[in-house]
Coordinates of all heavy atoms in Angstrom, one line a residue:
E26 N -9.2 11.0 -10.1 CA -10.1 10.0 -9.6 C -9.5 8.6 -9.6 O -9.7 7.8 -8.6 CB -11.4 10.0 -10.4 CG -12.3 11.2 -10.2 CD -13.5 11.3 -11.1 OE1 -13.7 10.3 -11.9 OE2 -14.2 12.3 -11.1
C27 N -8.7 8.3 -10.6 CA -8.0 7.0 -10.7 C -7.0 6.9 -9.6 O -6.9 5.8 -8.9 CB -7.3 6.8 -12.0 SG -8.5 6.6 -13.4
H28 N -6.2 7.9 -9.3 CA -5.3 7.9 -8.2 C -6.0 7.8 -6.9 O -5.5 7.0 -6.0 CB -4.4 9.2 -8.2 CG -3.5 9.3 -9.4 ND1 -2.5 8.4 -9.7 CD2 -3.4 10.3 -10.4 CE1 -1.9 8.7 -10.8 NE2 -2.4 9.9 -11.2
A29 N -7.1 8.5 -6.7 CA -7.8 8.3 -5.4 C -8.3 6.9 -5.2 O -8.3 6.4 -4.1 CB -9.0 9.3 -5.4
T30 N -8.8 6.3 -6.3 CA -9.2 4.9 -6.2 C -8.1 4.0 -5.8 O -8.3 3.1 -5.0 CB -9.8 4.4 -7.6 OG1 -10.9 5.3 -7.9 CG2 -10.2 3.0 -7.5
S31 N -6.9 4.2 -6.3 CA -5.7 3.4 -5.9 C -5.4 3.6 -4.4 O -5.0 2.7 -3.7 CB -4.5 3.8 -6.7 OG -4.7 3.5 -8.1
I32 N -5.6 4.9 -3.9 CA -5.3 5.1 -2.5 C -6.3 4.4 -1.7 O -6.0 3.8 -0.7 CB -5.4 6.7 -2.2 CG1 -4.2 7.4 -2.9 CG2 -5.5 6.9 -0.7 CD1 -4.2 8.9 -2.8
V33 N -7.6 4.4 -2.1 CA -8.6 3.7 -1.4 C -8.3 2.2 -1.3 O -8.4 1.5 -0.3 CB -10.0 3.9 -2.0 CG1 -11.1 3.0 -1.4 CG2 -10.4 5.4 -1.8
R34 N -7.9 1.6 -2.4 CA -7.5 0.2 -2.5 C -6.4 -0.1 -1.5 O -6.4 -1.2 -0.8 CB -7.2 -0.2 -3.9 CG -8.4 -0.4 -4.8 CD -8.0 -1.0 -6.1 NE -9.2 -1.0 -7.0 CZ -9.2 -0.6 -8.2 NH1 -8.1 -0.1 -8.8 NH2 -10.3 -0.6 -8.9
A35 N -5.4 0.8 -1.5 CA -4.2 0.5 -0.6 C -4.7 0.6 0.8 O -4.2 -0.2 1.7 CB -3.1 1.6 -0.9
I36 N -5.5 1.5 1.2 CA -6.0 1.6 2.5 C -6.9 0.4 2.9 O -6.8 -0.1 4.0 CB -6.8 2.9 2.7 CG1 -5.9 4.1 2.6 CG2 -7.6 3.0 4.0 CD1 -6.5 5.5 2.6
E37 N -7.7 -0.1 1.9 CA -8.4 -1.3 2.2 C -7.5 -2.5 2.4 O -7.8 -3.3 3.3 CB -9.4 -1.6 1.0 CG -10.5 -0.7 0.9 CD -11.4 -0.9 -0.3 OE1 -10.9 -1.5 -1.3 OE2 -12.5 -0.4 -0.4
D38 N -6.4 -2.5 1.7 CA -5.4 -3.6 2.0 C -4.8 -3.5 3.4 O -4.6 -4.5 4.1 CB -4.3 -3.6 0.9 CG -3.4 -4.8 1.0 OD1 -3.9 -5.9 1.2 OD2 -2.2 -4.6 0.9
L39 N -4.6 -2.3 3.8 CA -4.1 -2.1 5.2 C -5.1 -2.5 6.2 O -4.8 -3.1 7.3 CB -3.7 -0.6 5.5 CG -2.5 -0.1 4.8 CD1 -2.3 1.4 5.0 CD2 -1.2 -0.9 5.3
L40 N -6.4 -2.2 5.9 CA -7.5 -2.7 6.8 C -7.5 -4.2 6.9 O -7.8 -4.8 7.9 CB -8.8 -2.1 6.4 CG -9.0 -0.6 6.6 CD1 -10.3 -0.1 5.9 CD2 -9.0 -0.3 8.1
M41 N -7.3 -4.9 5.7 CA -7.3 -6.3 5.7 C -6.1 -6.9 6.5 O -6.3 -7.9 7.2 CB -7.2 -6.9 4.2 CG -8.5 -6.7 3.5 SD -8.6 -7.6 1.9 CE -7.5 -6.5 0.9
V42 N -5.0 -6.2 6.4 CA -3.8 -6.6 7.2 C -4.2 -6.5 8.7 O -3.9 -7.4 9.5 CB -2.6 -5.8 6.9 CG1 -1.5 -6.0 7.9 CG2 -2.1 -6.2 5.5
S43 N -4.8 -5.4 9.1 CA -5.1 -5.1 10.4 C -6.1 -6.2 10.9 O -6.0 -6.7 12.0 CB -5.8 -3.7 10.6 OG -6.3 -3.5 11.8
R44 N -7.1 -6.5 10.1 CA -8.1 -7.5 10.5 C -7.4 -8.9 10.6 O -7.7 -9.6 11.6 CB -9.2 -7.6 9.4 CG -10.2 -8.6 9.7 CD -11.3 -8.7 8.7 NE -12.3 -9.7 9.1 CZ -13.2 -10.1 8.3 NH1 -13.4 -9.6 7.1 NH2 -14.0 -11.1 8.7
S45 N -6.5 -9.2 9.7 CA -5.8 -10.5 9.8 C -5.0 -10.6 11.1 O -5.0 -11.6 11.8 CB -4.9 -10.6 8.6 OG -4.1 -11.8 8.7
L46 N -4.3 -9.5 11.5 CA -3.6 -9.5 12.7 C -4.5 -9.6 13.9 O -4.2 -10.3 14.9 CB -2.8 -8.2 12.8 CG -1.5 -8.1 11.9 CD1 -0.9 -6.7 12.0 CD2 -0.5 -9.2 12.3
K47 N -5.6 -8.9 13.9 CA -6.6 -9.0 15.0 C -7.1 -10.5 15.1 O -7.2 -11.0 16.2 CB -7.7 -8.1 14.8 CG -7.4 -6.7 15.0 CD -8.6 -5.8 14.7 CE -8.2 -4.3 14.7 NZ -9.3 -3.4 14.3
E48 N -7.4 -11.1 14.0 CA -7.9 -12.5 14.0 C -6.9 -13.4 14.6 O -7.1 -14.3 15.4 CB -8.4 -12.9 12.7 CG -9.7 -12.3 12.2 CD -10.0 -12.6 10.8 OE1 -9.2 -13.2 10.1 OE2 -11.1 -12.2 10.3
S49 N -5.6 -13.2 14.1 CA -4.5 -14.1 14.6 C -4.3 -13.9 16.1 O -4.0 -14.8 16.8 CB -3.3 -13.8 13.8 OG -3.4 -14.1 12.5
W50 N -4.4 -12.6 16.5 CA -4.2 -12.3 17.9 C -5.3 -13.0 18.8 O -5.0 -13.6 19.8 CB -4.2 -10.8 18.1 CG -4.0 -10.4 19.6 CD1 -2.8 -10.6 20.3 CD2 -4.9 -9.8 20.4 NE1 -3.0 -10.1 21.6 CE2 -4.3 -9.6 21.7 CE3 -6.2 -9.4 20.2 CZ2 -5.0 -9.1 22.7 CZ3 -6.9 -8.8 21.3 CH2 -6.3 -8.7 22.5

């Protein structure tokens, strides 16, 4: 469960990067 939570956080960070790129674009 702890490892799965870390995966979710990493994916959320990727989503934030994606959102930031979209906003910049």
Side-chain angles (χ1 to χ4, degrees):
E26 289 175 6
C27 291
H28 292 302
T30 301
S31 294
I32 290 173
V33 169
R34 285 187 185 132
I36 292 170
E37 287 173 344
D38 190 42
L39 288 175
L40 289 171
M41 285 189 289
V42 168
S43 173
R44 180 180 178 191
S45 173
L46 286 172
K47 287 176 188 176
E48 288 173 354
S49 296
W50 179 69

